[in-house]
């Protein structure tokens, strides 16, 4: 990042100095003490908040598309380009289990609790899995194109999905399809829930350059954030639900007020922003196409 003065940079250099390593996904554990990073060359690493590399998990040399911690922070789920999902035990750095999850690329994973998680893929379906069970316990279908993202509601009642078909859908394990939100002009890359179990509000990021906020209970769009000039491919709520950070191909990270919709801060990076994650203690991690991850407090910078 160009502007934050208190940022920590995590380097992911390839063994060949002329080769750039693309960071594809980053994720804080729920405690905010560890940051996991994944790259297109299959590297999976775990870092401390001080920027120290704690672990390098066995490299599969298959592109990692997404990764997520379970609630306890004991397992990491990684989604791969070849349609598989791996579970990693972070206590010993070993692979715990592998699922043959989708007929195409696995595009996202998200944990409901410590043993149950959902996955989505280019095969247009969502599947729900349990640790060590080779068969899915639930399958959702209804999207007409690749499903880029799945996210469980903080209370576990709903599962949201975002697709290249331009829609955001909300599902329930008991009622199937709950809401079908349409409003974006292009593909929807990502959805995130407001971190409050008593609300059912989520934000979606689209290639149309906008971020929309949806209310499941009201079945409507309540706000549109429009400051990026290129596709928005990442977003994250602060742990208190007061702010939303968004990242884009335009190299900008924007920080918004959820209360009034105002743009509070804007930072310009030295390359495309691939991911942004907000830690519980206020710092955000920003993954760049330049193989760097910057960690800083956006409200103090």
């Amino acid at each position: 990042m160009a502007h934050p003065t208190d940022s920590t940079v995590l380097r992911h250099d390839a063994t060949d100095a002329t080769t750039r390593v693309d960071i594809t996904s980053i994720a804080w554990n729920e405690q905010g003490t560890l940051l996991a990073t994944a790259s297109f060359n299959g590297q999976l690493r775990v870092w401390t908040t001080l920027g120290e590399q704690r672990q390098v998990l066995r490299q599969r040399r298959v592109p990692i598309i997404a990764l997520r911690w379970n609630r306890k922070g004991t397992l990491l789920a990684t989604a791969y380009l070849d349609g598989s999902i791996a579970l990693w035990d972070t206590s010993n750095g070993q692979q715990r289990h592998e699922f043959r999850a989708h007929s195409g690329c696995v595009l996202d994973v998200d944990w409901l609790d410590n043993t149950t998680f959902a996955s989505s893929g280019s095969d247009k379906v969502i599947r729900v899995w349990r640790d060590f069970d080779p068969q899915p316990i639930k399958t959702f279908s209804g999207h007409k194109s690749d499903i880029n993202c799945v996210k469980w509601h903080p209370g576990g009642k709903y599962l949201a999905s975002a697709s290249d078909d331009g829609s955001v859908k909300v599902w329930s394990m008991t009622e199937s399809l709950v809401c079908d939100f349409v409003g974006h002009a292009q593909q929807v890359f990502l959805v995130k829930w407001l971190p409050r179990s008593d609300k059912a509000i989520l934000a979606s990021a689209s290639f149309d350059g906008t971020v929309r906020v949806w209310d499941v209970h009201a079945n409507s769009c309540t706000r549109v954030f429009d400051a990026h000039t290129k596709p928005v491919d990442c977003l994250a709520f602060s742990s208190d639900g007061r702010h939303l950070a968004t990242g884009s191909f335009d190299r900008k990270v924007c920080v918004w007020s959820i209360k009034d919709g105002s743009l509070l801060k804007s930072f310009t990076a030295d390359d495309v922003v691939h991911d942004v994650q907000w830690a519980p203690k206020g710092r955000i991690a920003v993954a760049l196409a330049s193989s760097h991850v910057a960690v800083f407090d956006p409200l103090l910078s």
Side-chain angles (χ1 to χ4, degrees):
M1 302 291 290
H3 295 295
T5 57
D6 66 336
S7 62
T8 301
V9 176
L10 313 179
R11 297 186 60 88
H12 294 70
D13 297 318
T15 53
D16 177 1
T18 64
T19 303
R20 189 172 76 172
V21 178
D22 279 347
I23 308 301
T24 55
S25 187
I26 58 178
W28 291 100
N29 65 353
E30 195 163 285
Q31 298 73 27
T33 56
L34 296 173
L35 179 70
T37 63
S39 59
F40 198 76
N41 67 356
Q43 291 181 1
L44 180 59
R45 304 184 185 189
V46 178
W47 310 78
T48 70
T49 55
L50 298 177
E52 299 167 344
Q53 184 172 282
R54 183 188 181 193
Q55 283 180 309
V56 179
L57 304 184
R58 182 168 58 86
Q59 190 171 335
R60 294 183 60 199
R61 300 190 181 279
V62 178
I64 302 172
I65 306 303
L67 81 161
R68 299 288 181 267
W69 296 86
N70 68 349
R71 297 296 178 86
K72 286 184 178 179
T74 55
L75 295 177
L76 268 172
T78 49
Y80 291 88
L81 189 66
D82 64 1
S84 66
I85 296 171
L87 296 188
W88 301 87
D89 187 335
T90 57
S91 67
N92 56 23
Q94 298 300 309
Q95 183 175 303
R96 177 184 177 94
H97 190 67
E98 182 176 333
F99 300 83
R100 301 306 304 176
H102 292 269
S103 58
C105 172
V106 185
L107 296 173
D108 200 18
V109 288
D110 194 49
W111 290 89
L112 171 62
D113 48 35
N114 291 309
T115 59
T116 306
F117 63 94
S119 65
S120 64
S122 59
D123 55 5
K124 309 174 190 177
V125 299
I126 299 166
R127 294 194 170 97
V128 182
W129 309 84
R130 285 203 180 105
D131 187 15
F132 285 122
D133 190 340
Q135 299 299 320
I137 61 174
K138 185 81 172 181
T139 299
F140 296 109
S141 60
H143 280 293
K144 298 178 181 178
S145 189
D146 295 8
I147 304 173
N148 298 312
C149 178
V150 283
K151 285 291 177 290
W152 290 101
H153 178 262
K157 185 177 182 180
Y158 303 116
L159 179 65
S161 57
S163 171
D164 276 357
D165 64 16
S167 72
V168 173
K169 299 185 189 298
V170 179
W171 314 83
S172 165
M173 291 291 281
T174 56
E175 303 172 33
S176 292
L177 187 61
V178 176
C179 292
D180 189 1
F181 293 125
V182 178
H184 285 292
Q186 296 184 44
Q187 305 100 308
V188 185
F189 191 76
L190 185 68
V191 287
K192 290 282 184 71
W193 291 96
L194 182 77
R196 288 184 55 177
S197 59
D198 60 328
K199 303 283 187 180
I201 295 173
L202 67 157
S204 57
S206 171
F207 273 43
D208 64 11
T210 69
V211 172
R212 288 178 175 263
V213 180
W214 312 88
D215 188 328
V216 172
H217 295 158
N219 196 25
S220 65
C221 178
T222 61
R223 199 176 296 281
V224 178
F225 296 125
D226 187 7
H228 291 288
T229 58
K230 291 185 178 181
V232 182
D233 62 343
C234 53
L235 58 83
F237 283 101
S238 60
S239 59
D240 59 10
R242 296 173 57 194
H243 304 104
L244 180 71
T246 60
S248 167
F249 287 10
D250 64 8
R251 302 187 178 190
K252 290 184 179 179
V253 175
C254 294
V255 180
W256 308 84
S257 166
I258 296 300
K259 183 178 180 180
D260 60 17
S262 62
L263 178 61
L264 301 176
K265 292 285 186 76
S266 179
F267 304 94
T268 301
D270 60 8
D271 210 333
V272 170
V273 180
H274 275 329
D275 202 357
V276 56
Q277 296 289 333
W278 212 310
K281 295 181 181 180
R283 306 191 87 193
I284 65 171
V286 177
L288 307 176
S290 60
S291 306
H292 295 168
V293 175
V295 182
F296 62 97
D297 190 327
L299 300 178
L300 294 179
S301 299

